[in-house]
Amino acid sequence: MHHLKVIFLPWWSRNPYQQLLVTHLQLLGIDVKTFSNNGKLFLTPEVIRWRPDIVHFHSLYPFYLSSNPLAFAIKLLAFFSQIIFLKLAGVRIVWTVHDLKNHENMQVRAERIYSIFLAIFADAIITHCVQAKQTVIKSFHIFNKDKVFVVSHPHYINYYENNIDRDTARKKLGITDANLIFLFLGLIRAYKGVPELINAFKQLKQDKVYLVIAGKASQELTQQIQQQVQDCHEIKFIPGFVADEQLQIYMNACDAIVLPYRDILTSGSVILAMSFGRACVAPRKGCISEVVGDLGGFLYNPEETDSLLYAMKDAIQHKSQLQQIGDRNRRVVEQWSWDSFARTTLQIYQHRVRSTSSLRSPLN
């Protein structure tokens, strides 16, 4: 029996999403390769010799981002040429759209050209919610809507250690008198709205309510945040990369996760928060509206003035229900397993990529 041969591009070395998907696809008999050649030509001699059936893209910007106009033009031509070569060689293309554009907002118009081009040539496009599917179809002018699939983003339950209790976690953070702790966790980038979060939190003026911000940021953004928080002892800023084994400390110390994104399509951070059984304060945008919903937290309209502030006030007023909301979130994401996700992905590969008559399904 011929095993499907799939290449993931680009490879996210620190993100468990691809690692878990690769592992579960391999358990179904799919031969998956990854290449750490982000930003370079992906049609290397090694790839050509291996003769993949499918090239599965997870983002595009590593293949085009460049501050040099000439380098950008060369990358653009190289990308188009490689895609056309793949199609002529009979290789199928799958694209999981995690974001509509790169988070640095670099060369957004040019990126749109890439995205529309790939959407035309892709045999299948995967999104993680109905809202994302509709947005992708509209943004990239996709006429064949049948090739766009919705598959729920799987959970991270049991991936990270989760055996520390709340009191111990709070002692480790040096916050033992808190009535409520809000948490922002993860890579801090401009689009995630952390400065706005700090400004909103300062207006709360609630006794024994804390905000913990933990994550790696650029030097410029780190300095900006440090200046913002220096006069507020209720905000604890812990800059730097958060190791996997430390993640449970922050998650179990807090009462609610705050995700003040300015712009978002799909959020793995929301899935992570729900996997730890936490209520979410987040904008009503992209998949968040669908995944969290009104029962999973406190959603706000980011276009409205002070809406984040009011959402946090609402969370404080419902403090006694936060654990119940978090428990509900965990039950919701428990349904979205990696095994189920891999099986559905395989079905998409088979349905859109190869004729069912020429491939015996491992699902049967």
Side-chain angles (χ1 to χ4, degrees), residues 259-284:
L259 301 148
Y261 298 162
R262 298 171 189 167
D263 196 31
I264 193 71
L265 183 69
T266 302
S267 173
S269 296
V270 165
I271 301 296
L272 178 63
M274 296 173 73
S275 298
F276 272 88
R278 290 292 168 262
C280 300
V281 178
R284 196 180 294 276

Side-chain angles (χ1 to χ4, degrees), residues 47-61:
V47 170
I48 294 171
R49 281 196 302 270
W50 193 59
R51 301 187 62 167
D53 299 294
I54 300 161
V55 172
H56 189 157
F57 288 94
H58 288 268
S59 61
L60 305 185
Y61 59 86

Side-chain angles (χ1 to χ4, degrees), residues 14-17 19-20 155-164 185 241-249 251-252 268-269 271-273 275-276 330 338:
R14 281 186 165 176
N15 191 320
Y17 177 98
Q19 297 169 12
L20 288 164
H155 62 70
Y156 293 113
I157 297 170
N158 297 326
Y159 180 80
Y160 299 97
E161 288 183 29
N162 186 13
N163 49 33
I164 192 171
L185 180 73
F241 179 74
V242 178
D244 287 357
E245 59 270 17
Q246 298 293 311
L247 199 133
Q248 65 161 333
I249 297 172
M251 284 292 186
N252 288 315
S269 296
I271 301 296
L272 178 63
S275 298
F276 272 88
R330 184 180 165 104
W338 287 96

Side-chain angles (χ1 to χ4, degrees), residues 152-155 157 274 328-341:
S152 295
H153 190 309
H155 62 70
I157 297 170
M274 296 173 73
R328 173 263 177 197
N329 283 345
R330 184 180 165 104
R331 288 195 299 273
V332 168
V333 294
E334 275 177 351
Q335 306 168 59
W336 305 329
S337 72
W338 287 96
D339 175 64
S340 174
F341 182 44

Side-chain angles (χ1 to χ4, degrees), residues 14-253:
R14 281 186 165 176
N15 191 320
Y17 177 98
Q18 287 185 328
Q19 297 169 12
L20 288 164
L21 180 53
V22 167
T23 298
H24 286 82
L25 285 173
Q26 288 172 338
L27 289 172
L28 295 175
I30 298 181
D31 193 356
V32 186
K33 272 189 180 290
T34 60
F35 295 89
S36 56
N37 60 339
N38 298 357
K40 302 175 183 176
L41 293 175
F42 51 84
L43 269 183
T44 61
E46 183 184 9
V47 170
I48 294 171
R49 281 196 302 270
W50 193 59
R51 301 187 62 167
D53 299 294
I54 300 161
V55 172
H56 189 157
F57 288 94
H58 288 268
S59 61
L60 305 185
Y61 59 86
F63 302 109
Y64 79 86
L65 275 186
S66 175
S67 56
N68 183 311
L70 178 59
F72 170 78
I74 293 171
K75 283 187 171 187
L76 181 70
L77 183 60
F79 183 81
F80 286 179
S81 301
Q82 290 175 97
I83 295 297
I84 292 170
F85 180 88
L86 287 174
K87 296 297 290 186
L88 291 174
V91 178
R92 304 304 186 183
I93 295 171
V94 176
W95 180 22
T96 298
V97 183
H98 298 275
D99 303 290
L100 291 178
K101 55 186 174 63
N102 72 89
H103 297 310
E104 278 69 36
N105 283 323
M106 289 177 63
Q107 301 159 336
V108 173
R109 288 184 180 178
E111 181 175 31
R112 189 172 171 79
I113 297 171
Y114 270 82
S115 299
I116 293 172
F117 178 86
L118 190 61
I120 291 169
F121 283 93
D123 297 278
I125 295 172
I126 298 171
T127 62
H128 285 314
C129 69
V130 174
Q131 176 66 45
K133 174 179 177 175
Q134 294 168 346
T135 302
V136 165
I137 288 171
K138 182 178 179 181
S139 299
F140 303 150
H141 308 293
I142 298 170
F143 297 106
N144 180 9
K145 299 176 183 179
D146 290 339
K147 72 176 181 181
V148 186
F149 298 85
V150 177
V151 193
S152 295
H153 190 309
H155 62 70
Y156 293 113
I157 297 170
N158 297 326
Y159 180 80
Y160 299 97
E161 288 183 29
N162 186 13
N163 49 33
I164 192 171
D165 62 74
R166 173 166 295 181
D167 289 342
T168 305
R170 290 186 171 185
K171 283 177 185 175
K172 286 182 178 290
L173 293 182
I175 307 173
T176 55
D177 64 338
N179 285 332
L180 188 147
I181 295 178
F182 289 110
L183 171 67
F184 176 92
L185 180 73
L187 192 61
I188 302 171
R189 297 164 83 174
Y191 80 95
K192 293 188 177 181
V194 172
E196 293 93 325
L197 168 60
I198 294 168
N199 290 334
F201 180 83
K202 284 182 173 179
Q203 296 177 61
L204 282 175
K205 295 182 171 64
Q206 294 275 343
D207 187 40
K208 294 183 179 178
V209 173
Y210 290 83
L211 169 63
V212 174
I213 301 169
K216 187 178 181 180
S218 67
Q219 186 176 355
E220 182 183 356
L221 197 50
T222 298
Q223 290 173 347
Q224 180 185 345
I225 294 170
Q226 286 171 335
Q227 289 174 351
Q228 279 186 287
V229 306
Q230 63 185 358
D231 61 344
C232 185
H233 78 276
E234 287 89 5
I235 302 178
K236 191 175 186 71
F237 176 41
I238 307 167
F241 179 74
V242 178
D244 287 357
E245 59 270 17
Q246 298 293 311
L247 199 133
Q248 65 161 333
I249 297 172
Y250 296 101
M251 284 292 186
N252 288 315

